[in-house]
Amino acid sequence: MPSLILYIDENIKQSLDQNNLQPIEKTIIEIILHELDATKDNCQITWIKTNILTSDYKIFGEMKFRQKKSRNKNKKENCLKKIGNVLHNYFKVSTRLRAFSIEDASITSLDIKK
């Protein structure tokens, strides 16, 4: 049930149309499948155009999922790093990602500066 919501500043230069986002989304889903031991039918990615005014981070992502034994701290960190790198390499903007397990008392986080 990994659910990733990506808030993308509408003023970034790269196109946010469906044809450009499909290969990126496919890559992100492959990362989630591998790192979080997920099933493809349960992966959800939502792209939301927004106007980010004061933050240097022009992409903000929140991923929520159910905890599994295989989803340890290293796997969660690796997942965020790989997703962050994909987004950073394509959009060339600072990216902030957070991951929340429903059962965890803490979050996993990643910040990539431009």
Side-chain angles (χ1 to χ4, degrees):
M1 175 228 124
S3 172
L4 176 61
I5 301 172
L6 293 168
Y7 301 91
I8 310 288
D9 190 297
E10 60 190 15
N11 296 311
I12 63 173
K13 295 175 186 169
Q14 289 76 0
S15 173
L16 296 178
D17 71 43
Q18 185 176 4
N19 292 331
N20 290 339
L21 296 179
Q22 279 181 337
I24 297 167
E25 185 166 308
K26 183 179 178 185
T27 301
I28 291 172
I29 287 173
E30 290 298 321
I31 293 167
I32 293 170
L33 293 175
H34 179 263
E35 293 296 335
L36 295 184
D37 190 25
T39 58
K40 191 170 187 172
D41 291 344
N42 290 336
C43 291
Q44 303 166 354
I45 299 177
T46 304
W47 301 84
I48 299 175
K49 291 182 191 178
T50 189
N51 195 357
I52 300 173
L53 299 174
T54 59
S55 177
D56 291 335
Y57 296 96
K58 298 304 176 186
I59 298 175
F60 180 79
E62 294 180 330
M63 184 166 49
K64 299 172 192 148
F65 53 87
R66 289 188 177 93
Q67 189 60 28
K68 281 183 163 181
K69 286 187 179 190
S70 61
R71 295 178 181 165
N72 59 38
K73 183 179 179 187
N74 288 337
K75 286 287 196 175
K76 292 184 276 188
E77 288 175 354
N78 286 339
C79 186
L80 287 187
K81 284 180 189 175
K82 289 177 181 180
I83 293 170
N85 286 333
V86 167
L87 295 169
H88 182 72
N89 289 335
Y90 177 74
F91 291 104
K92 307 287 191 242
V93 296
S94 296
T95 303
R96 176 170 275 170
L97 300 176
R98 301 292 183 257
F100 305 85
S101 167
I102 293 169
E103 292 85 5
D104 279 347
S106 61
I107 65 170
T108 305
S109 63
L110 172 74
D111 292 342
I112 299 176
K113 286 285 202 168
K114 183 175 168 186

